Amino acid sequence: MKELSIFVDESGDFGEYAKHAPYYIVTMVLHDQSVDISANVNALDSALKQIGYGDRQAIHTEPLIRREKPYQYFLPNERRAIFSKLFYFALNCDIQYKSFVYKKNEFENIFEMEARMARDISQFIGQNLSYFQNYEKVIVYYDNGQHELNKILNISLATQLTNYEMRKVAPNEYRLFQVADLICTLELIKIKMERGALSHSEERIFHSKRDIKKDFLRGISKKEFSEH
């Protein structure tokens, strides 16, 4: 059976607009299950272990950058190394991604943003329907971290596909779920960089705008989903 896996993660929340968290970002990482990435996963696990990060331990990129638990004892160069290992894992895997970015203050209320998200995701699938229908089964992996997003995903998928299934996932179970988290973070960093609003923590990890573009943004953009 030809199967497509879609790993979904988000950055932000469905609360009212706040200056410290003005954006909501959703990222889908798409992986054809006929393409074996087990060697990539094993290589990543081994590389992380060598730099002192626990075997099969999930990487959460925003706490990693902010030096929050469990990263509070890692030096800046060690945290950048963890981030970079996951980043290069993403580059070396045969995957694609699609991100949806929303500025919360552009909507009168949160319900308007939810409706826009459902429409955008449904439209993305509809515009690439032949691609998705090429698979006998589409499995969406999400950790159900936000009930609203879970509902939006179900509504959007149900309007376009009959062969999809939703599965709850724990972050440490799939490295590609962590890649979705990483891409959300890079999308947010790109926005903050363009606004000249990088935090001190982000500057310590990524150094400069030039380095961010050269070392991360240019590479990950090559994995962006190409319209079918």
Side-chain angles (χ1 to χ4, degrees):
M1 178 178 288
K2 196 170 184 186
E3 189 175 293
L4 178 70
S5 294
I6 303 178
F7 297 87
V8 180
D9 202 14
E10 84 290 320
S11 175
D13 59 56
F14 284 88
E16 296 296 323
Y17 171 83
K19 285 187 176 181
H20 70 277
Y23 292 93
Y24 192 89
I25 301 170
V26 179
T27 293
M28 296 178 165
V29 171
L30 293 79
H31 173 229
D32 184 328
Q33 283 296 314
S34 66
V35 180
D36 185 8
I37 62 167
S38 57
N40 303 75
V41 172
N42 291 336
L44 173 61
D45 290 346
S46 177
L48 290 171
K49 203 170 183 179
Q50 289 177 12
I51 58 176
Y53 198 66
D55 188 33
R56 300 301 294 172
Q57 192 171 353
I59 300 172
H60 300 278
T61 53
E62 290 191 26
L64 174 70
I65 292 167
R66 294 194 295 263
R67 202 183 177 188
E68 296 172 353
K69 191 175 179 179
Y71 308 103
Q72 66 270 41
Y73 302 115
F74 286 89
L75 297 172
N77 65 318
E78 293 171 329
R79 287 182 284 128
R80 180 182 168 104
I82 294 170
F83 189 98
S84 296
K85 298 293 183 187
L86 183 60
F87 172 78
Y88 283 108
F89 165 76
L91 289 194
N92 291 327
C93 285
D94 188 359
I95 58 172
Q96 297 183 84
Y97 78 90
K98 175 68 176 179
S99 290
F100 304 87
V101 180
Y102 303 92
K103 191 171 184 181
K104 291 163 70 173
N105 66 356
E106 293 179 350
F107 301 92
E108 290 188 9
N109 53 61
I110 205 65
F111 303 110
E112 187 178 299
M113 188 177 83
E114 288 181 21
R116 171 68 178 277
M117 290 172 62
R119 185 168 66 250
D120 288 350
I121 294 172
S122 179
Q123 187 177 61
F124 164 67
I125 296 170
Q127 289 174 342
N128 300 281
L129 198 55
S130 61
Y131 168 82
F132 289 98
Q133 289 181 335
N134 189 44
Y135 294 91
E136 295 172 76
K137 182 178 282 189
V138 176
I139 302 178
V140 180
Y141 295 86
Y142 179 53
D143 67 356
N144 292 355
Q146 295 182 9
H147 171 73
E148 297 92 341
L149 179 55
N150 193 45
K151 180 177 66 176
I152 288 166
L153 289 169
N154 266 298
I155 292 171
S156 304
L157 291 162
T159 60
Q160 299 290 347
L161 302 175
T162 58
N163 60 337
Y164 84 93
E165 176 184 334
M166 294 285 295
R167 290 187 188 175
K168 183 178 180 181
V169 61
N172 68 323
E173 292 179 319
Y174 294 98
R175 290 298 186 189
L176 290 183
F177 181 78
Q178 297 161 43
V179 168
D181 169 85
L182 174 135
I183 295 173
C184 282
T185 297
L186 286 174
E187 289 287 338
L188 184 59
I189 286 172
K190 179 169 66 174
I191 294 166
K192 294 174 74 173
M193 183 186 71
E194 290 168 352
R195 294 171 53 225
L198 290 174
S199 69
H200 179 63
S201 296
E202 288 159 347
E203 289 176 343
R204 292 194 74 184
I205 296 296
F206 300 107
H207 308 148
S208 69
K209 292 180 181 179
R210 179 179 176 277
D211 286 346
I212 292 171
K213 288 180 180 178
K214 177 174 66 73
D215 297 340
F216 298 102
L217 297 182
R218 191 176 300 160
I220 204 64
S221 67
K222 296 175 183 177
K223 291 293 181 179
E224 194 166 3
F225 186 87
S226 55
E227 301 295 327
H228 290 72

